[in-house]
Structure formats: C-alpha cells, structure tokens
Amino acid sequence: MIPPATFTVRTATVSDARAVATLHCDRITEGFLPTLGVRFLDRLYRRVIVAPDGFVYVACDESGAVLGFCATVLDVGALYKRFIVRDGVIAGLQAAPTVLRSWRRVLETLRYPSHSGDLPDAEVLAVAVAAAASGRGIGGAVLAASKSELVARSVKAVKVVAGSHNEGALALYRSGGFRVVEEIEVHEGVRSSVLVWSDDSLAAGPMSAEADA
C-alpha cells in the first residue's frame, strides 16, 4: 500500500507515454479507445505530450513510477487530424483487428468533436489513477495541475466527457468545479455527460480528494 503523501505532480515526457497508456487501458474500461490497446494509446499520448497545444500531467511516487495522469488538449479535433496524418498508418496497423471489427465506432470517435456545438475546444481527454493509489487525492491533484496550465495559457474553459453512469468520474470532475451541461451519445446507445469548467468556476470552492477517476 502506498503512503498517502508520497507522490509528486509534474509534466509528462515522452518516456512516460507507455505508463500513461497502460494506466488508461487498465483503469478506463468504458469508451472505445481502451479497446485499441496499449501500443495504440502509447502513440496517441506521445502525440499529445509533444504537441504545442496538448499536455499531460502525471503523479509519481518516490521511485518515479506513474501513479496517475491527466491528459488535456486545446483542440481535440486538431489532435485527431494531426495523429491521423503523422501516426495513423503505424497506429492503425497495430490496432487493425479492432479497427476493422469496430469501424463504425472509429468514425463516431473521429466525428464527435465536430458535433460539440458551442462547447469549449479544449478538452480533458482522460484522468486515471492506479488502483493501488486510489483514495490518495491523485486524481484531484493532476486535474488541478491541468487547470492551472490552462489558466497559464489563457484558456478560459475546458470540457470533459464521462459516462453518465460513472459516478466516480463525475464526482471527481464536479469536485473540481466542472458542471454538467448536456448529455450526448458519442457511440450509439451509450449515454455520456459533457461537463465544463471555466476560470470563474474557481469560486465554486476547493477540490475534494473524495474520488479518484
């Protein structure tokens, strides 16, 4: 068991991408992306980490092991386009069986950003915390670091999409000042909540470490 306070939060580097991808697959079971596997997500998170309009914050223990992360991009549509152009062939080959079986869900995932209406372009892609480190406030810590980065970049608002039934994730985002603004179906038959945080929502109060995504 990991002691409560033994983690630090820092900006991720490319060398963290595999650990981030592994955490995503292990801890985020809903949605389509985890079905594409660790190698696919490794390439995706490498692209986020090196992008000028994306960043990932990780929480690490004293040995440097990644305990949790929060990945954010300023324009998810632009990220997907860049990923397809620069990584699409190799990533597609790595995940070919799943992509071929689930081509409709691939199209739904790529099409989603264009249907986001008046919502912010910036998006929290994912927050995940290792099972052994849950309940330590890590989810709240990496989310807070990401919000601070957005403010530093003069980005006033950010959205996140979570399964409407995922009470743990919804509690984390609500405690961080996000509010539900609409319900959508990125994939047919699967309800998701869209939550938005804006700079002025800091007045909503301090973050709670009650739930880790």
Side-chain angles (χ1 to χ4, degrees):
M1 189 68 72
I2 299 169
T6 56
F7 70 87
T8 57
V9 176
R10 61 170 173 79
T11 306
T13 66
V14 169
S15 63
D16 297 311
R18 179 54 65 100
V20 168
T22 301
L23 264 182
H24 187 134
C25 285
D26 288 348
R27 300 293 289 160
I28 303 177
T29 56
E30 61 184 20
F32 176 60
L33 288 177
T35 68
L36 297 175
V38 170
R39 289 196 299 169
F40 182 96
L41 287 175
D42 185 355
R43 297 195 71 88
L44 178 62
Y45 282 119
R46 284 172 183 267
R47 185 57 53 198
V48 175
I49 289 168
V50 302
D53 55 354
F55 51 89
V56 178
Y57 275 92
V58 292
C60 301
D61 65 15
E62 292 174 336
S63 71
V66 175
L67 304 176
F69 76 90
C70 178
T72 307
V73 292
L74 304 191
D75 187 332
V76 68
L79 168 72
Y80 285 158
K81 290 175 184 175
R82 189 182 303 120
F83 181 72
I84 289 170
V85 170
R86 300 185 181 181
D87 304 277
V89 173
I90 295 176
L93 289 173
Q94 290 173 340
T98 301
V99 170
L100 291 174
R101 286 195 308 268
S102 309
W103 61 268
R104 190 183 301 276
R105 299 189 77 191
V106 174
L107 293 177
E108 289 170 346
T109 300
L110 294 175
R111 188 168 59 239
Y112 146 69
S114 67
H115 294 285
S116 57
D118 295 329
L119 296 170
D121 290 328
E123 178 165 346
V124 173
L125 295 178
V127 178
V129 175
S134 63
R136 307 295 196 239
I138 290 173
V142 291
L143 186 60
S146 298
K147 292 192 303 177
S148 295
E149 180 71 21
L150 289 167
V151 172
R153 296 186 184 214
S154 300
V155 177
K156 300 301 183 183
V158 63
K159 65 181 179 291
V160 67
V161 179
S164 297
H165 62 284
N166 191 337
E167 292 300 328
L170 294 174
L172 172 68
Y173 295 126
R174 286 188 177 118
S175 69
F178 286 76
R179 59 186 179 85
V180 176
V181 296
E182 68 178 27
E183 301 287 323
I184 64 171
E185 287 189 5
V186 177
H187 303 296
E188 185 176 357
V190 180
R191 300 293 296 172
S192 295
S193 299
V194 181
L195 301 92
V196 171
W197 173 86
S198 56
D199 196 359
D200 58 6
S201 70
L202 287 170
M207 295 182 63
S208 167
E210 186 177 19
D212 284 337

